[in-house]
Amino acid sequence: MTYRYFEDFRPGEIVTLGSRSISEAEITAFARDYDPQSFHIDAEAARHSAFGGLVASGWHSCAIFMRLFVDGLLKESSALASPGVDEIRWLKPVRPGDRLSGKVTVTDITPSRSKPDRGLVRHFCELSNQRGEVVMTMRTLALFARRKS
């Protein structure tokens, strides 16, 4: 991958981020620490829930996406920070054994008016399972440094 600066992003560009599998042990460990609802931590209780089985926390899906985003794009870029996320949607349950793949679509690029050494890149982010079903979407903002002239 080529190191990327603000100027290298184009609206409409799609970047695939790779994939990662999720195990039952990972689901329950994350949930015990951060989202200890029964359908995330107890397989038996989860069978009697609306999900019909154990599911990952949506926040766990976000964390997995973030890892894919860093490994697939941000660590080889001039990323400075993120001022936030505009929207997160959890569309389908993530289950043990799912293989999750990430991709981002650049939706907008805006040079900073107050700090000419950087610009804002907006992304539409998707996390999909091995069946191609989109399980989560996010709209994110990221600041990237510009090339020094």
Side-chain angles (χ1 to χ4, degrees):
M1 178 187 332
T2 304
Y3 194 86
R4 303 199 54 189
Y5 292 89
F6 171 75
E7 294 88 350
D8 298 321
F9 292 95
R10 299 285 176 260
E13 172 189 5
I14 297 171
V15 180
T16 56
L17 303 174
S19 63
R20 180 182 181 118
S21 293
I22 186 169
S23 69
E24 181 173 338
E26 289 172 309
I27 288 171
T28 57
F30 182 95
R32 274 193 305 274
D33 286 345
Y34 302 107
D35 191 357
Q37 297 181 74
S38 62
F39 43 83
H40 299 320
I41 61 172
D42 181 336
E44 181 59 30
R47 274 193 280 286
H48 302 288
S49 75
F51 297 107
L54 197 69
V55 295
S57 167
W59 298 110
H60 194 177
S61 298
C62 290
I64 290 169
F65 178 83
M66 190 64 207
R67 179 59 191 253
L68 294 173
F69 197 20
V70 169
D71 290 347
L73 177 65
L74 297 179
K75 75 177 178 184
E76 293 294 327
S77 76
S78 66
L80 300 170
S82 172
V85 173
D86 284 340
E87 173 185 290
I88 300 170
R89 294 285 182 259
W90 297 304
L91 305 172
K92 292 204 175 273
V94 171
R95 300 189 183 274
D98 278 353
R99 183 152 194 88
L100 303 175
S101 300
K103 78 175 181 179
V104 296
T105 302
V106 177
T107 58
D108 186 60
I109 56 172
T110 308
S112 174
R113 289 188 200 106
S114 61
K115 296 182 179 177
D117 66 334
R118 64 194 65 187
L120 183 70
V121 178
R122 293 178 187 272
H123 295 101
F124 177 70
C125 308
E126 296 174 88
L127 192 64
S128 300
N129 64 23
Q130 67 278 5
R131 292 176 297 282
E133 299 167 326
V134 178
V135 299
M136 185 197 76
T137 61
M138 287 193 299
R139 294 187 182 278
T140 63
L141 303 90
L143 291 168
F144 291 86
R146 299 182 84 164
R147 281 190 178 82
K148 295 187 187 339
S149 24

